[in-house]
Amino acid sequence: DAGVTQSPTHLIKTRGQQVTLRCSPKSGHDTVSWYQQALGQGPQFIFQYYEEEERQRGNFPDRFSGHQFPNYSSELNVNALLLGDSALYLCASTSLFYSGNTIYFGEGSWLTVV
Amino acid sequence: SQQGEEDPQALSIQEGENATMNCSYKTSINNLQWYRQNSGRGLVHLILIRSNEREKHSGRLRVTLDTSKKSSSLLITASRAADTASYFCAPYGSGNTGKLIFGQGTTLQVKP
């Protein structure tokens, strides 16, 4: 049983460009959340997708958007990249059907904006 | 807030010693989850303790939860160099939102 998988693992983008990160949740999970983790900080919640809709959103600008597909996989899109967007982007999955279920994280995608 | 606050921020011990990390939070919870993060890697789930549990063990890990004090602790016994990592606690609120709010974590260094 594969856990949470993310791609790509590393990427470098130029300021102003757009990036798409991808996530496949753990088998049996229907809820995907995205987190941003800057160096030396704890992960910060970006948003959560359930039933293909954004259910919750953290304090991130509209440049950050996402999508969830019928197979529960998800994408995170960031437009007009800023140097400050350089971070580790983590995807997490769980099943909201089971209240208080374990939340699993992927290995993350390292984004460097130059 | 639901955020977990870890203490201490940094901990340095010798291999073989025990390491204790503490976590405090402010709201009622459904459960509390502990994670480990090796440098530059993703978060690895260590243990989940439910609000009606007081203590839980997993290998060399022992987690306690005191809901009256809104605090939890993670004890790693007989530490190894491979335990060197950052550790985060994540309170899971009673609203079943599936959302975790992290503090800055405890950075543990285990010296060989």
Side-chain angles (χ1 to χ4, degrees), chain A residues 37 41 48 56 100 103 107, chain B residues 31 35 37 40-41 97 104:
Chain A
Q37 186 177 23
Q41 303 295 316
Q48 179 189 80
Q56 299 183 74
I103 297 175
E107 284 291 334
Chain B
N31 64 62
Y35 293 87
Q37 185 177 38
R41 305 294 298 276
T97 64
Q104 291 195 323

Side-chain angles (χ1 to χ4, degrees), chain A residues 14 17-18 21 23 34 36 38 40-41 44 50 53 55 57 59 64 71-73 82 84 90 93 109:
Chain A
T14 302
Q17 285 187 320
Q18 178 261 346
L21 308 178
C23 171
W34 288 91
Q36 180 195 65
Q41 303 295 316
Q44 301 292 310
Y50 173 68
E53 291 188 7
R55 299 288 177 165
R57 189 177 184 91
N59 189 25
F64 289 77
N71 66 352
Y72 307 119
S73 66
L82 304 174
L90 295 162
S93 77
S109 294

Side-chain angles (χ1 to χ4, degrees), chain A residues 75-86:
Chain A
E75 289 182 349
L76 164 65
N77 301 292
V78 186
N79 295 322
L81 285 167
L82 304 174
L83 296 179
D85 295 331
S86 296

Side-chain angles (χ1 to χ4, degrees), chain A residues 29-112:
Chain A
H29 286 182
D30 56 13
T31 304
V32 173
S33 299
W34 288 91
Y35 292 77
Q36 180 195 65
Q37 186 177 23
L39 276 176
Q41 303 295 316
Q44 301 292 310
F45 177 79
I46 302 175
F47 44 53
Q48 179 189 80
Y49 277 84
Y50 173 68
E51 292 187 335
E52 302 180 48
E53 291 188 7
E54 183 182 295
R55 299 288 177 165
Q56 299 183 74
R57 189 177 184 91
N59 189 25
F60 280 81
D62 291 344
R63 298 186 298 109
F64 289 77
S65 63
H67 189 78
Q68 186 178 35
F69 299 94
N71 66 352
Y72 307 119
S73 66
S74 176
E75 289 182 349
L76 164 65
N77 301 292
V78 186
N79 295 322
L81 285 167
L82 304 174
L83 296 179
D85 295 331
S86 296
L88 176 66
Y89 288 86
L90 295 162
C91 174
S93 77
T94 190
S95 173
L96 286 184
F97 182 82
Y98 298 102
S99 176
N101 205 17
T102 300
I103 297 175
Y104 292 95
F105 284 79
E107 284 291 334
S109 294
W110 274 106
L111 171 65
T112 301

